[in-house]
Amino acid sequence: MDNKNEMVEADQSLDALITNSIDLIQYVRQLVAKQVNLVQLMTYYSLGKWIVEVQQEGQERAQYGKKVIKTLSDHLTEKFGRGFSKANLEFFRRFYLNYEERIAETVFRQFAIEKNEAVFRQLEEKPPFIVSWSHYLQLLRIENKDERRFYEIESAKSGWGIRTLQRQYNSSLYERLALSRDKDAVMQLANEGNVIAKPQDIVKQPTVLEFLGLEEKTEYSESDLETAIIDKLQKFLLELGKGYLFEARQKRFTFNEDNYYVDLVFYNRLLRCYVLIDLKVDKLTHQDIGQMQMYVNYYDRYEKLDEENPTIGILMCKEENDALVEITLPKDANIYASQYKLYLPDKKLLRDKLRQWIAEEES
């Protein structure tokens, strides 16, 4: 018996050794990656700052700026090899110009001139840059400062990779979220990212489903759309937003001996409530709205716990009709219509619409 206990204890010690070793190595790698990323970004920022300062000294001659970048590129490439092409140095310059306010002059001097290693403690406590250089290469292509800040924050908070960032930008996530908010909330988007605080915050206009691979055809049924969504559930959850957990497809409930089916049932852990989605391939009708109201009522009365928040209903339809929703439902109804598109929206069209909307809000 003693030998058996000793063997069990030895196995437990070995398991603990393996677990602790893996955790330590993963932690150290993450720590090193963060430090390397910070050093890299500070270096590029500093080079960009120096390039701008030297260019400004000869600003009366248009060709002087190009000469500065070419000459520096030639010397750095000869000394260090790849990574310092003219194109890269131009990105360093743009990086500094777009994020100039992030680094105080004293911090810059400590890092780039005095080479004081102690400055890293200050930078690590409150990092001036929160994503990788690859992310910033994508972000620098965004002209609108508020939009660029929104995608930076969301990339960091949601752990977006480069491809996800590109897709969210191409699908006009910022414009779609901004169009569903008032002016103050639009500014909050730029400063804090997409904060889920109330039911309206989870509804996008439109919801973009181009990843389903469906062509824009009239003969698709709701079942076809639902099947395509389930097949690409991970991407659909990403498009919906934060905090979603999938519960069921065609969730059946019975009331007065009649069976009813909700197309898609989710739970949002941030809002702590059920989210019911009904898919409509045709124009939204008042019957669709009434049916969703019944689904929401049922979940509120028979499914949700006392400590949970009221159920949200989303009618995902090809043609939304906000006026119909407003006239059909009481003001405090937790039901929303979201138009879906099987192709990426025209970004310029959405931007123009957002500018028009902001102008109307300000007037």
Side-chain angles (χ1 to χ4, degrees):
M1 182 67 71
D2 291 340
N3 289 337
K4 186 176 181 180
N5 289 337
E6 288 177 0
M7 291 178 62
V8 170
E9 291 177 359
D11 288 343
Q12 290 175 342
S13 298
L14 181 57
D15 290 341
L17 170 63
I18 294 170
T19 300
N20 292 337
S21 299
I22 291 174
D23 288 345
L24 175 61
I25 293 171
Q26 288 178 335
Y27 166 74
V28 170
R29 284 183 174 180
Q30 291 172 357
L31 191 63
V32 170
K34 288 181 180 179
Q35 291 178 336
V36 168
N37 187 58
L38 181 58
V39 171
Q40 182 185 37
L41 291 170
M42 285 296 298
T43 301
Y44 294 166
Y45 175 94
S46 301
L47 291 174
K49 178 178 172 65
W50 281 332
I51 290 170
V52 170
E53 289 175 347
V54 173
Q55 284 178 333
Q56 287 174 345
E57 291 177 2
Q59 58 186 335
E60 293 182 0
R61 289 180 291 167
Q63 294 301 315
Y64 186 74
K66 294 181 181 179
K67 177 185 175 182
V68 169
I69 288 182
K70 183 182 184 307
T71 304
L72 180 60
S73 174
D74 290 343
H75 281 77
L76 293 180
T77 300
E78 182 181 355
K79 180 74 175 178
F80 300 108
R82 297 173 58 185
F84 299 98
S85 65
K86 290 187 292 183
N88 282 344
L89 293 186
E90 179 57 37
F91 272 119
F92 301 166
R93 175 183 174 277
R94 289 171 58 188
F95 182 56
Y96 165 72
L97 290 174
N98 281 281
Y99 297 99
E100 179 180 357
E101 76 284 354
R102 296 277 181 95
I103 306 296
E105 183 64 25
T106 54
V107 174
F108 164 75
R109 290 189 62 84
Q110 286 179 314
F111 172 81
I113 299 175
E114 299 171 9
K115 300 176 180 59
N116 185 351
E117 295 183 10
V119 74
F120 277 104
R121 297 193 192 94
Q122 178 181 344
L123 291 170
E124 286 174 340
E125 288 177 4
K126 192 175 181 180
F129 308 114
I130 57 177
V131 290
S132 72
W133 174 243
S134 297
H135 285 83
Y136 284 112
L137 286 176
Q138 298 297 320
L139 295 170
L140 288 173
R141 294 178 167 88
I142 302 175
E143 293 182 8
N144 183 288
K145 182 178 179 181
D146 292 338
E147 183 180 5
R148 185 168 60 245
R149 177 62 175 159
F150 164 78
Y151 284 111
E152 180 187 10
I153 293 172
E154 284 301 300
S155 294
K157 286 171 59 177
S158 303
W160 289 351
I162 304 303
R163 291 183 64 182
T164 301
L165 169 59
Q166 290 172 334
R167 182 196 172 270
Q168 297 289 21
Y169 172 74
N170 290 336
S171 69
S172 303
L173 176 62
Y174 174 76
E175 289 92 347
R176 289 184 288 130
L177 288 173
L179 285 169
S180 65
R181 287 160 164 75
D182 58 28
K183 184 181 175 184
D184 291 338
V186 171
M187 294 308 300
Q188 184 184 31
L189 273 180
N191 295 325
E192 301 177 26
N194 185 25
V195 178
I196 306 298
K198 56 185 183 299
Q200 294 92 325
D201 293 338
I202 67 173
V203 183
K204 297 177 182 176
Q205 296 292 0
T207 301
V208 180
L209 305 180
E210 98 292 344
F211 54 81
L212 299 181
L214 296 175
E215 297 178 14
E216 184 72 1
K217 295 181 179 179
T218 57
E219 62 266 26
Y220 281 121
S221 67
E222 291 163 7
S223 178
D224 292 333
L225 184 59
E226 181 184 312
T227 299
I229 287 174
I230 295 301
D231 289 343
K232 301 287 179 67
L233 185 59
Q234 183 178 7
K235 290 185 177 179
F236 182 66
L237 288 173
L238 187 62
E239 169 61 18
L240 283 180
K242 298 178 180 178
Y244 278 95
L245 304 173
F246 176 66
E247 180 171 299
R249 168 191 186 183
Q250 287 294 310
K251 180 65 177 290
R252 185 185 73 177
F253 67 87
T254 303
F255 189 73
N256 282 350
E257 300 182 355
D258 290 324
N259 292 327
Y260 301 92
Y261 298 85
V262 185
D263 289 343
L264 299 170
V265 178
F266 296 89
Y267 189 85
N268 191 289
R269 61 183 181 82
L270 299 180
L271 292 178
R272 299 184 69 249
C273 69
Y274 283 104
V275 179
L276 313 180
I277 294 181
D278 230 15
L279 304 170
K280 302 298 175 185
V281 296
D282 298 316
K283 185 176 180 180
L284 187 65
T285 67
H286 70 276
Q287 290 94 338
D288 297 330
I289 300 170
Q291 178 178 268
M292 177 54 80
Q293 180 69 74
M294 186 264 288
Y295 291 168
V296 167
N297 289 344
Y298 177 86
Y299 263 76
D300 278 345
R301 295 171 188 176
Y302 300 104
E303 295 290 339
K304 89 173 188 70
L305 302 176
D306 291 340
E307 63 270 20
E308 292 176 328
N309 292 315
T311 303
I312 297 171
I314 299 177
L315 289 156
M316 198 165 289
C317 45
K318 197 167 186 179
E319 295 181 40
E320 63 170 321
N321 190 333
D322 291 335
L324 183 63
V325 175
E326 184 176 346
I327 196 66
T328 303
L329 297 172
K331 289 184 178 181
D332 59 348
N334 232 12
I335 295 175
Y336 307 90
S338 175
Q339 182 183 14
Y340 69 81
K341 290 186 179 295
L342 299 178
Y343 54 90
L344 292 175
D346 186 310
K347 199 167 187 69
K348 182 178 184 302
L349 200 63
L350 280 176
R351 281 177 174 170
D352 291 343
K353 187 176 179 181
L354 180 58
R355 290 192 189 101
Q356 179 185 354
W357 176 84
I358 291 176
E360 291 173 354
E361 282 283 302
E362 290 177 342
S363 63

